[in-house]
Amino acid sequence: MEMRLLTKDGDRNVFARRLADARARHGASFRDIGRSQARNMVRLSAANLYGLFERDRDDAENMTAGVALHDLAIYPQSCQQPDLSHYPPQSVLECSDHWSLTRGAGMHAWRGIAVQVVRRNPRAVLVYLAVGRSDHGGFYKAMGFVDAGAPVEYPYLEGPDEGRLWVQPMLLEGDALAKLTSNVHRLKIETRDNYQTIRFDNSDRLRPAANRYPLRVSEMPAASVPL
């Protein structure tokens, strides 16, 4: 299995199409349309996009999952909250647009992006989850994320509340981030081209950050959400 940085415009376009497919297939109530679409394209163009492939060197059309990642020096955080001004912008990573089209692919994509996160040695990792998607919240809590304030309006997608989409900010930092880092270092991976490609065995797993959050496969994000 391979997690690959998408550097070609054509591959990044496939990512965007698969992202839309995942939202439609899983009945997401938010869409990349209307007045926010142009701003969302700018946001995604600034991010690193990673695609998951079942086989080494598969072409982009065989992508089964993906995640976007950027630091706050490259592009600001999606919402003004939480206040992370006490951290240098380059030390905060935002993960977003986590999608999958096959069962289990979302978990493998998380493992791949966790390797990318840890190698950059951040102080904090930020995600925004669509309010009401409790299954996604359960997964991220299992990985050590905690709620970071009250829900806020997400500016890059349109939702069901008169075009507004409400999201819950969640943050990974401190001891929980250290635990994820330790667990990532235990993974059996092969890297090449300065981590542009990561290869790993399907059976390897990341363990939850806290025993009080038992993780079930059904809680792993199966479709795209604004993260």
Side-chain angles (χ1 to χ4, degrees), residues 1-219:
M1 186 161 288
E2 182 172 280
M3 189 81 165
R4 188 188 310 159
L5 175 66
L6 306 177
T7 58
K8 298 178 180 178
D9 288 344
D11 294 353
R12 292 172 67 92
N13 290 338
V14 172
F15 179 103
R17 292 201 305 271
R18 295 292 184 268
L19 177 60
D21 290 346
R23 287 176 179 150
R25 180 178 299 186
H26 296 280
S29 58
F30 45 87
R31 294 289 185 270
D32 183 11
I33 58 175
R35 65 185 184 277
S36 62
Q37 188 172 36
R39 287 182 297 162
N40 197 36
M41 290 177 63
V42 172
R43 181 186 67 86
L44 283 176
S45 69
N48 288 329
L49 304 184
Y50 295 90
L52 181 75
F53 301 86
E54 295 287 339
R55 293 175 295 275
D56 299 349
R57 293 180 289 276
D58 269 353
D59 62 33
E61 294 297 333
N62 296 113
M63 199 182 311
T64 60
V67 186
L69 183 70
H70 75 273
D71 69 50
L72 302 193
I74 294 296
Y75 196 81
Q77 64 192 76
S78 293
C79 305
Q80 292 184 353
Q81 299 299 321
D83 181 5
L84 298 173
S85 59
H86 53 289
Y87 289 133
Q90 66 273 16
S91 74
V92 180
L93 300 177
E94 182 179 331
C95 291
S96 64
D97 303 278
H98 188 176
W99 61 270
S100 69
L101 290 173
T102 61
R103 184 174 179 82
M107 182 70 79
H108 293 308
W110 165 256
R111 181 174 34 165
I113 206 65
V115 173
Q116 296 293 351
V117 164
V118 166
R119 81 175 184 88
R120 294 171 67 164
N121 193 30
R123 301 283 298 278
V125 185
L126 174 67
V127 300
Y128 293 100
L129 302 189
V131 170
R133 302 299 294 267
S134 59
D135 53 342
H136 301 124
F139 168 78
Y140 284 95
K141 286 179 180 178
M143 290 299 151
F145 286 82
V146 297
D147 291 349
V152 293
E153 185 176 353
Y154 192 75
Y156 294 109
L157 295 170
E158 295 196 358
D161 182 10
E162 298 181 347
R164 296 177 297 179
L165 175 64
W166 298 95
V167 294
Q168 174 62 56
M170 298 188 76
L171 202 60
L172 179 73
E173 57 187 341
D175 291 343
L177 179 55
K179 185 170 181 61
L180 176 69
T181 299
S182 177
N183 287 338
V184 165
H185 287 159
R186 295 189 183 100
L187 294 177
K188 299 173 184 177
I189 62 171
E190 174 190 343
T191 65
R192 58 191 310 179
D193 303 327
N194 193 29
Y195 283 84
Q196 289 194 30
T197 301
I198 298 171
R199 292 175 180 163
F200 43 81
D201 187 275
N202 293 6
S203 62
D204 216 0
R205 293 288 185 271
L206 274 175
R207 290 176 292 179
N211 294 333
R212 66 183 183 276
Y213 295 121
L215 178 64
R216 298 182 295 273
V217 172
S218 62
E219 290 179 315

